[in-house]
Every structure is written in C-alpha cells, then in structure tokens.
C-alpha cells in the first residue's frame, strides 16, 4: 500500500465556479478513485483561495464585507463536491482564510527568512490586478496585459522579495526528471522560463494599500502577497507544520505527490512553489499535471459574451455522471478544447442515451426475460487493461474511448448474433447458443461497470446492482 497525495489548484472566490475548474476536479477525482481501488491510501485536496486584491475589490463592488463575500463563494465552490453535483471523493477542502492555513503561511515565511531568502526592497513595477502579479514590459501586448486586456497599474512601494534567482540551478535540477511535469511540452516551457533567467519576486503588499491578506510575521505594515500565502495550502491542508495527525509525514514526505493545474500555472506551481519548498527545506512536488482550457464556440467564456457554461448548468441538464463523462471523454486532457450546447447534446444522445444506456437496457431486458437466475461472473470477462494504462498517463479521453469501443463491440454482437431471435427458436442448440450470448453480454456489462467505476461512479454502481439482483435498471440517460 502506498500513500498518495493529490491536489487541485484553489480557485479565487470572486466568481461562481468555472467549467475549467470542474475539469480539474473531475480529473483529480478519477485518479484519487483509481488509486484507492488499487489499494493505495489517498489524500485528495481542494479548496478556495480567499485573499488578495482581486477578491477584496470584488467584495467592494458587491457592497459586501470581504468575509461575507468569500463565505458565499467558497460555499458555491464547495458544493461542487457533493454527490448531486460532481460527486467528488475529496478528503479536504482548505480555505486560505482559515486560522490553521494562516499559521502555516506564516511559518513558511519564517522558514524562508531563516534561509536568508526574503529581503525588503523599494519597488516600482507594472501590476496587473487580474494576475495579482507584477508583469514585465515583455509580458505586455500594446501596453496591456494580454490575458486580462487591461493596462497594468504602476505601483511604487516597499515590498518583501523572495530570492527566486538563487534557485535557478536547483530548479533546473528538479526539472530534469521527466515525470515532474506532464505533458512534456510544459516541462520544456518551465525549463525555458528558468533558462531565460528568473527575477526575484515580490511577496508582500503594504497593508495601507491592501489589508486583506495574511500578516507578515514581524512587520505590521505588510501583508503577504496572495500567491505566497495560497501556495502553502498544499501542505497546510495536511496539518503542516505541527503535523499532529501525521498526514504531512505520511502523504507529503513519504508519499507520492501530484498536483493538477491549468496550463497558465506553470510558473506558479512548478517554479515559484517549488522554489519556496526548496527554501523551506521541504520535499518538492513529485509531479504536476497541466490541463488545457475550455472555450465556447471558439471564444474564451466570459460573462460579457454570455457564453459561460457553468458546471452547475451541465449537471442540471445532463446529470452528474454524464457531466463527468463529457469532461473526461470529450475534453482533451492536455490541449484546449471547445464546447457548445449543441455539441454537448450530441455527445450525450449518441454516446449515453443511444450508446451505454441503450446497451444496458437491451441486455438486461433479454437477461431478465430469458434467464431464470442472475448471471454468475466468471474470470474470462476481464476489465480492460488499457483503461488503467491510459489513465496513469492522464489520457482520460483515450481511457474512455477504450470503454466505448467495447460498448460498440457488444452492440455489434447483438446486431450480428441476434440472441433475441435465437431464444425463441424451436432448435435447442440455437436456443442454448442464444442464452450463452446473453450471459456473455451480462458479464460484459459487469466488466464495463468495473472500468467505469472511477469515471462514472453512480452509473457503475447501478449497472453492478442491476446485474447482481437481475433486474433491468431505470433509464440511466433519459432523452433530452
Ligand atoms: Zn493580467
């Protein structure tokens, strides 16, 4: 038995949860479930990032106190975990405004200070509120942040800085191992960032400008830069630094660690966070997987364009497992993907209503009509080894393709052999053969359910139950 740790990034609590974050959650959930079913002990973390200018400003715009504002949105994010939403098997939901997290962030600060990696400097820079970060001239396009389409503010203040540059060599060493970043091209991207030269980055704000943050230990005039604070969540959630439950030792120090993040996070997760860990003398993350973005009809989803597809909208229209299905099979796990309601409807109808749902209904219809007893499972119908192989490589879409290929074969078997005709034959040998085919199909359903267990947990359980009690289940994927 191994101890395995997995965490998503934490979304800002300034908006309702985004479909891209739902993708990240579901990908992480599949891995957590697969490892658990293989006998590993798993700690699956997610949560919300609750400090920083962006959250503070959004609360002000909404006319609310920051605490009331973040409580509302944190609840909206947390609800995604529920069985009726994305049905996630998370072990922890960390909120960066909690006192346990605050203490961990301060301890991280002290450790980095003890290594002489934090210093105070007067600074003037181009600050993008959308990024919560200072940008350099070369990041700008036509004087604007290309990601947020706003001109950065010129900020002049005294900030604490982290000695990022000092860790160039150590980070390049860390990045040598091929598995530290998946996919490979993102690892190259990270290596290139470092090779271009790292600049020390600001890790605090003057409190008079922004009070909504973790106080800097030993300096009342400053609060921590939101990234420095938030990144520490990956270990504060495990009880670091006190580690009274022993989870930090078990899952981080002695376990295998994986973080899941969006493709714009390479600099933060694989460089800044790793440099902080190096400074604090804590083991680096074993692996970070980066997923792509989801656009709608070729455009970035935004309120102003009115093309936002929220995870709650998906669950409402298709149900929990069908939403998980769409995110895992029809969204490329590593590249950008595009969705529209039309295409989502097509996938649902073709592959769930007419595909899996229809196969279950037909097979269980034949089984209950023509077989006296439940079908006994045998060793010969095995689950698909490709599913585990693809999943371990984060190719969730190919794992699902493999399951649907099997569904296609079973449909073909029914169409060619027509067991529903054979069972009515006067010829005993034809009838016996038809009954054998029906039994084989029931075992196929059971094997498909085994393969679907981590991807579509309720569907899997419902199929297994139907086979076990020998009863045709309710329509799992009703027509739209
Ligand atoms: Zn920006």
């Amino acid at each position: 038995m191994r101890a395995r740790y997995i965490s998503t990034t934490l979304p800002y609590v300034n908006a309702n949860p985004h479909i891209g974050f739902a993708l990240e959650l579901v990908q992480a959930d599949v891995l957590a479930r697969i490892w658990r079913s293989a006998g590993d002990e798993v700690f699956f973390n997610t949560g919300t990032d609750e400090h920083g200018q962006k959250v503070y400003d959004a609360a002000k715009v909404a006319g609310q106190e920051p605490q009331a504002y973040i409580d509302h949105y944190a609840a909206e994010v947390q609800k995604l975990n529920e069985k009726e939403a994305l049905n996630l098997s998370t072990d922890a939901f960390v909120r960066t405004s909690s006192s346990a997290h605050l203490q961990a962030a301060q301890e991280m600060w002290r450790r980095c200070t003890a290594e002489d990696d934090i210093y105070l400097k007067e600074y003037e820079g181009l600050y993008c509120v959308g990024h919560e970060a200072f940008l350099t001239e070369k990041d700008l396009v036509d004087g604007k942040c290309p990601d947020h389409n706003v001109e950065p503010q010129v900020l002049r203040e005294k900030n604490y800085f982290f000695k990022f540059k000092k860790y160039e060599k150590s980070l390049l060493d860390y990045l040598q191992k091929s598995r530290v970043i998946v996919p490979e091209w993102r690892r190259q991207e990270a290596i290139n960032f470092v090779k271009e030269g790292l600049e020390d980055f600001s890790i605090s704000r003057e409190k008079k400008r922004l009070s909504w943050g973790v106080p800097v230990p030993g300096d009342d005039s400053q609060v921590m830069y939101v990234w420095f604070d938030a990144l520490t969540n990956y270990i504060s959630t495990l009880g670091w630094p006190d580690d009274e439950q022993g989870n930090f030792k078990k899952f981080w120090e002695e376990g295998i660690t994986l973080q899941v993040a969006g493709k714009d996070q390479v600099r933060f997760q694989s460089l800044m966070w790793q440099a902080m860990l190096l400074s604090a003398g804590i083991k680096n993350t074993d692996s970070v997987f980066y997923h792509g973005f989801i656009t709608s009809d070729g455009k970035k989803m935004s309120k102003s364009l009115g093309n936002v597809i929220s995870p709650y909208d998906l669950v409402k229209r298709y149900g929990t497992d069908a939403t998980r299905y769409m995110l895992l099979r029809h969204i490329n796990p590593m590249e950008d993907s595009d969705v529209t309601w039309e295409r989502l409807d097509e996938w649902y109808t073709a592959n769930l209503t007419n595909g899996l749902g229809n196969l279950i209904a037909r097979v269980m219809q034949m089984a209950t009509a023509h077989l006296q007893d439940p079908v006994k499972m045998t060793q010969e119908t095995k689950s698909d080894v490709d599913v585990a192989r693809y999943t371990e490589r984060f190719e969730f879409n190919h794992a699902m393709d493999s399951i649907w290929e099997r569904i296609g074969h079973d449909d073909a078997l029914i169409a060619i052999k027509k067991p529903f005709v054979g069972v009515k034959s006067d010829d005993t040998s034809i009838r016996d053969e038809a009954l054998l085919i029906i039994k084989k199909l029931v075992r196929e359903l059971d094997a498909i359910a085994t393969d679907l267990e981590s991807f579509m947990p309720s569907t899997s359980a419902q199929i297994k139950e139907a086979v076990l009690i020998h009863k045709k289940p309710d329509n799992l994927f009703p027509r739209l």
Side-chain angles (χ1 to χ4, degrees):
M1 190 182 77
R2 292 173 298 185
R4 303 194 69 149
Y5 170 92
I6 186 164
S7 183
T8 64
T9 54
L10 308 189
Y12 273 127
V13 283
N14 63 346
N16 282 318
H18 189 267
I19 188 175
F21 183 58
L23 169 71
E24 189 169 312
L25 286 168
V26 169
Q27 288 176 332
D29 186 59
V30 168
L31 294 168
R33 286 175 185 272
I34 283 199
W35 296 335
R36 281 193 206 101
S37 67
D40 293 337
E41 196 179 353
V42 177
F43 191 100
F44 175 13
N45 178 58
T46 187
T48 40
D49 182 352
E50 307 188 344
H51 289 129
Q53 186 85 48
K54 210 156 51 167
V55 171
Y56 186 80
D57 288 349
K60 243 183 11 199
V61 168
Q64 287 182 16
E65 285 302 312
Q67 190 64 50
Y69 183 83
I70 63 172
D71 286 348
H72 168 77
Y73 281 110
E76 284 301 302
V77 175
Q78 192 160 13
K79 262 188 355 207
L80 282 177
N81 289 264
E82 290 173 8
K83 202 156 189 288
E84 300 71 30
L86 295 175
N87 191 14
L88 305 173
S89 62
T90 39
D91 297 294
F93 188 91
V94 62
R95 294 187 56 183
T96 61
S97 65
S98 70
S99 71
H101 174 78
L102 184 140
Q103 282 164 29
Q106 291 184 328
E107 177 60 16
M108 176 60 81
W109 184 284
R110 284 188 209 103
R111 296 258 184 128
C112 297
T113 302
E115 280 302 300
D116 197 23
D117 285 340
I118 293 178
Y119 61 93
L120 193 62
K121 188 178 100 172
E122 172 110 70
Y123 183 74
E124 186 180 271
L126 301 165
Y127 186 78
C128 172
V129 175
H131 266 93
E132 297 278 9
F134 284 101
L135 304 178
T136 59
E137 291 284 355
K138 69 179 177 203
D139 291 324
L140 307 182
V141 176
D142 299 327
K144 288 180 176 175
C145 165
D147 293 346
H148 297 100
N149 199 31
V150 289
E151 281 181 28
Q153 309 164 4
V154 178
L155 270 192
R156 182 181 185 85
E157 62 177 46
K158 250 189 189 151
N159 288 166
Y160 286 97
F161 277 71
F162 178 80
K163 288 186 183 168
F164 202 23
K165 193 162 187 59
K166 174 180 160 184
Y167 289 97
E168 281 177 355
K169 165 105 188 27
S170 315
L171 285 170
L172 284 176
D173 288 346
Y174 166 69
L175 294 168
Q176 282 318 300
K177 280 175 255 146
S178 67
R179 289 292 288 181
V180 295
I181 294 182
V182 181
E184 171 61 17
W185 68 88
R186 300 258 172 252
R187 186 171 73 97
Q188 293 307 324
E189 194 181 306
I191 290 171
N192 290 340
F193 272 139
V194 182
K195 284 188 172 163
E196 280 171 21
L198 300 178
E199 283 176 40
D200 294 353
F201 61 89
S202 158
I203 53 170
S204 74
R205 296 285 171 269
E206 283 182 2
K207 209 187 224 168
K208 63 176 190 228
R209 205 186 292 281
L210 174 69
S211 58
W212 189 243
V214 177
V216 166
D219 186 343
D220 277 348
S221 71
Q222 302 260 335
V223 297
M224 285 180 206
Y225 168 50
V226 62
W227 277 102
F228 189 92
D229 140 28
L231 286 168
T232 308
N233 94 84
Y234 299 120
I235 55 174
S236 75
T237 190
L238 290 167
W240 184 85
D242 298 341
D243 201 24
E244 277 165 18
Q245 315 281 329
N247 280 336
F248 173 71
K249 181 170 190 279
K250 185 197 281 177
F251 291 100
W252 194 276
E253 291 190 307
E254 295 172 357
I256 305 169
T257 54
L258 172 72
Q259 293 176 224
V260 182
K263 65 171 189 177
D264 60 342
Q265 289 281 315
V266 175
R267 224 188 295 203
F268 298 107
Q269 309 300 331
S270 288
L271 301 181
M272 280 162 57
W273 170 230
Q274 302 310 322
M276 286 164 63
L277 288 169
L278 285 164
S279 174
I282 297 169
K283 198 185 99 172
N284 283 115
T285 310
D286 291 318
S287 200
V288 186
F289 167 70
Y290 293 97
H291 61 80
F293 285 166
I294 304 175
T295 55
S296 178
D297 217 4
K299 294 182 195 77
K300 191 175 170 175
M301 289 187 202
S302 78
K303 254 189 219 164
S304 53
L305 286 175
N307 64 347
V308 174
I309 297 176
S310 98
Y312 291 116
D313 294 340
L314 290 175
V315 170
K316 197 170 160 204
R317 182 156 176 83
Y318 306 112
T320 296
D321 273 8
T323 298
R324 292 172 63 104
Y325 164 85
M326 310 274 199
L327 293 171
L328 292 163
R329 187 173 185 211
H330 295 289
I331 302 298
N332 186 300
M334 300 168 210
E335 314 257 12
D336 291 353
S337 302
D338 194 68
V339 295
T340 58
W341 283 112
E342 291 73 24
R343 232 169 300 153
L344 288 161
D345 281 359
E346 277 169 30
W347 293 328
Y348 176 90
T349 301
N351 302 316
L352 294 175
T353 308
N354 298 339
L356 178 59
N358 186 47
L359 180 71
I360 298 165
R362 287 181 82 187
V363 171
M364 289 315 294
Q365 173 70 42
M366 289 189 282
T368 50
H370 304 295
L371 301 170
Q372 207 76 49
D373 301 310
V375 176
K376 286 197 186 68
M377 294 304 126
T378 60
Q379 285 300 316
E380 67 203 70
T381 315
K382 289 207 180 75
S383 63
D384 185 347
V385 288
D386 284 342
V387 173
R389 202 163 50 88
Y390 283 127
T391 310
E392 200 60 29
R393 300 201 311 230
F394 305 97
E395 294 172 20
F396 307 100
N397 53 343
H398 294 148
M400 297 292 265
D401 286 347
S402 193
I403 299 172
W404 258 260
E405 202 177 303
R406 187 173 195 159
I407 291 168
H409 283 201
D410 293 336
D411 278 337
L413 182 69
I414 298 172
I416 293 162
K417 298 279 187 179
K418 296 190 171 54
F420 49 92
V421 177
V423 284
K424 289 173 192 153
S425 171
D426 295 331
D427 185 332
T428 340
S429 68
I430 293 176
R431 215 163 55 223
D432 286 349
E433 201 209 334
L435 290 172
L436 281 178
I437 292 167
I438 294 172
K439 284 183 188 171
K440 177 183 160 56
L441 285 164
V442 174
R443 291 189 188 108
E444 279 287 303
L445 279 189
D446 191 70
I448 287 166
T450 302
D451 287 337
L452 282 175
E453 207 177 316
S454 304
F455 299 88
M456 301 168 74
S458 317
T459 304
S460 167
Q462 279 170 287
I463 299 172
K464 293 242 169 209
E465 170 82 1
V467 168
L468 191 70
I469 65 168
H470 199 49
K471 186 172 180 290
K472 189 179 155 188
D474 294 338
N475 193 353
L476 294 181
F477 306 103
R479 296 207 169 273
L480 293 171

